[in-house]
């Protein structure tokens, strides 16, 4: 099915259902919330007679973007369920997504697990929020932005592109952001809310710079053991703010941040300026985009194995580029 045909098929399903419940991934980021609640707000504006819900539990410090709704199990009966920004079904926040009448996936990650009755995946989009904006722009007679929907989608784009910095940013991304900005929300305030960090995270980024291990090919590694997180007063969800820190350093080519979890294992955040790192992530219980992925390491031994694989990828990349 062609892209536009799929989007029309999704719109036809939306029109059919009187109740629509929208999910996103666990440990949400601005794009997860932006695409999810942005779509919810668009549907509320475009179809005021429908019941629209956004679900998935606490938003971990992103409540300046939106808050979630509570729904009961029985409300899933006869409902349409849409999931945004989530590549794999086991990462969907709130497992009741299976209780709906029909399931739609809308995403921009590689389509490793094509779940759902209908799915629209565009890996060329900077963010899922950009896809939701495109959806509205394709059907201007039927779908309408509100000021808040525009704010949420803009926030999602800013979050996933690192304020239009990361390579997934295209001319189309910038044009879409411009269309959204015309809705008049306070973009300056939103940019600041997304970008600002707490004093404890600022101090932790000092630790990251001081303790970065770096080899001659640009392979970087930072390990954040539980004791360090406790010393700096930072919890795992806040570490997303320091993932991009090593990337500012000229010699760094690809890197991993290994954050120890209360259970003992390490959550791994992988980033790259060139070498493709999502295959590596898949070998270690993870996945993601070619230049931005996540994985998990059982123990310090697996942490070192992953670092050695980053080193190999950097070395190969240096030899071929
Ligand atoms: Mn995203």
């Amino acid at each position: 099915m062609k892209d536009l045909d799929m989007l029309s098929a999704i719109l036809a399903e939306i029109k059919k259902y009187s109740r629509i419940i929208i999910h996103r991934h666990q440990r949400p980021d601005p794009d997860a919330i932006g695409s999810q609640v942005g779509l919810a707000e668009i549907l509320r504006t475009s179809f005021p007679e429908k019941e629209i819900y956004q679900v998935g539990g606490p938003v971990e410090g992103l409540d300046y973007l939106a808050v979630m709704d509570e729904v009961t199990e029985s409300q899933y009966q006869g409902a349409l369920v849409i999931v945004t920004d989530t590549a794999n079904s086991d990462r969907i926040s709130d497992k009741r997504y299976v209780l709906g009448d029909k399931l739609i996936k809308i995403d921009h990650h590689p389509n490793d697990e094509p779940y759902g009755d209908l799915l629209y995946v565009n890996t060329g989009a900077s963010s899922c929020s950009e896809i939701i904006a495109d959806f509205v722009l394709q059907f201007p007679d039927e779908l309408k932005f509100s000021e808040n929907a525009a704010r949420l989608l803009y926030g999602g784009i800013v979050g996933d592109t690192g304020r239009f910095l990361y390579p997934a940013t295209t001319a189309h991304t910038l044009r879409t952001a411009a269309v959204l900005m015309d809705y008049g929300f306070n973009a300056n305030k939103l940019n600041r809310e997304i970008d600002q960090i707490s004093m404890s995270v600022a101090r932790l980024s000092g630790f990251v710079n001081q303790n970065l291990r770096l080899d001659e090919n640009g392979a970087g590694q930072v390990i954040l053991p539980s004791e360090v997180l406790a010393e700096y007063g930072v919890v795992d969800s806040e570490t997303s703010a320091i993932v991009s820190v090593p990337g500012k350093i000229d010699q760094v080519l690809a890197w991993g941040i290994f954050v120890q979890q209360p259970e003992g294992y390490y959550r791994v955040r992988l980033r790259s300026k060139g070498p493709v790192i999502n295959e590596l992530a898949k070998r270690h219980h993870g996945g993601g985009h070619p230049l931005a992925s996540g994985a998990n390491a059982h123990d310090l031994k697996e942490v070192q194995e992953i670092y050695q694989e980053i080193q190999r990828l950097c070395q190969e990349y240096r030899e071929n580029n």
Side-chain angles (χ1 to χ4, degrees):
M1 208 186 271
K2 284 215 295 284
D3 279 7
L4 194 53
D5 294 343
M6 180 51 83
L7 290 176
S8 326
I10 290 174
L11 180 57
E13 293 299 336
I14 287 171
K15 284 191 198 159
K16 253 190 254 171
Y17 283 86
S18 61
R19 192 183 308 125
I20 302 173
I21 304 174
I22 310 178
H23 289 241
R24 38 81 188 162
H25 60 77
Q26 302 160 349
R27 311 203 227 205
D29 52 21
D31 185 40
I33 307 276
S35 58
Q36 174 199 27
V37 188
L39 176 61
E41 290 285 87
I42 288 158
L43 299 184
R44 284 180 190 118
T45 304
S46 313
F47 308 103
E49 69 288 0
K50 292 185 193 293
E51 290 172 56
I52 312 290
Y53 298 101
Q54 58 221 27
V55 301
V59 295
E60 300 183 23
L62 297 173
D63 36 337
Y64 62 85
L65 283 174
V67 290
M68 293 294 117
D69 298 319
E70 301 283 342
V71 293
T72 62
E73 223 165 81
S74 62
Q75 286 178 291
Y76 280 88
Q77 251 173 53
L80 172 65
V81 175
I82 303 178
V83 181
T84 68
D85 199 38
T86 311
N88 307 92
S89 58
D90 60 7
R91 286 203 69 216
I92 300 173
S93 195
D94 197 333
K95 299 301 160 204
R96 296 179 299 170
Y97 74 91
V98 294
L99 300 176
D101 188 54
K102 194 161 265 183
L103 181 64
I104 296 177
K105 171 187 186 180
I106 301 178
D107 190 28
H108 70 120
H109 299 88
N111 194 17
D112 292 330
E113 186 196 337
Y115 65 83
D117 302 297
L118 286 177
L119 55 157
Y120 179 79
V121 173
N122 177 5
T123 55
S126 69
S127 52
C128 195
S129 296
E130 182 180 317
I131 294 175
I132 300 298
D134 284 338
F135 184 33
V136 176
L137 297 171
Q138 288 292 345
F139 302 98
D141 296 334
E142 290 165 289
L143 297 174
K144 308 281 176 209
F145 293 116
S146 62
E147 182 183 323
N148 194 36
R151 182 184 74 97
L152 285 155
L153 297 175
Y154 178 90
I157 294 172
V158 165
D160 261 26
T161 61
R163 289 209 263 179
F164 310 108
L165 181 70
Y166 303 148
T169 312
T170 62
H172 179 71
T173 309
L174 295 171
R175 279 192 290 267
T176 307
V179 168
L180 295 171
M181 215 166 172
D182 269 342
Y183 282 81
F185 60 89
N186 189 337
N188 176 37
K189 177 166 179 275
L190 181 59
N191 286 329
R192 202 169 43 238
E193 284 168 327
I194 293 171
D195 193 49
Q196 69 191 3
I197 53 173
S198 65
M199 185 55 90
S200 35
V201 171
R203 295 212 161 101
L204 184 69
S205 54
F207 177 92
V208 167
N209 282 320
Q210 293 285 350
N211 292 276
L212 175 73
R213 171 178 176 185
L214 188 63
D215 79 359
E216 68 280 10
N217 293 310
Q221 179 192 43
V222 178
I223 302 174
L224 298 174
S226 297
E227 308 86 75
V228 169
L229 296 178
E231 187 190 328
Y232 284 84
V234 169
V235 296
D236 175 60
S237 63
E238 297 173 280
T239 59
S240 60
I242 52 93
V243 180
S244 62
V245 166
K248 287 208 182 206
I249 302 166
D250 55 1
Q251 294 172 55
V252 172
L253 181 59
W255 66 101
I257 309 272
F258 301 79
V259 186
Q260 194 176 22
Q261 303 296 302
E263 299 85 349
Y265 75 96
Y266 294 79
R267 181 177 180 200
V268 188
R269 297 170 185 271
L270 298 163
R271 296 292 184 272
S272 172
K273 295 177 187 169
V276 170
I277 39 90
N278 56 347
E279 292 302 321
L280 186 171
K282 278 188 220 169
R283 289 194 293 274
H284 297 275
H285 317 285
H289 303 284
L291 303 181
S293 288
N296 291 284
H298 185 68
D299 50 22
L300 274 179
K301 185 169 165 281
E302 193 172 0
V303 166
Q304 295 314 335
E305 282 165 18
I306 293 173
Y307 181 57
Q308 282 162 12
E309 290 179 56
I310 300 172
Q311 288 186 293
R312 252 197 311 280
L313 290 173
C314 286
Q315 188 182 357
E316 278 168 25
Y317 188 85
R318 289 274 191 236
E319 284 164 6
N320 298 316
N321 290 276

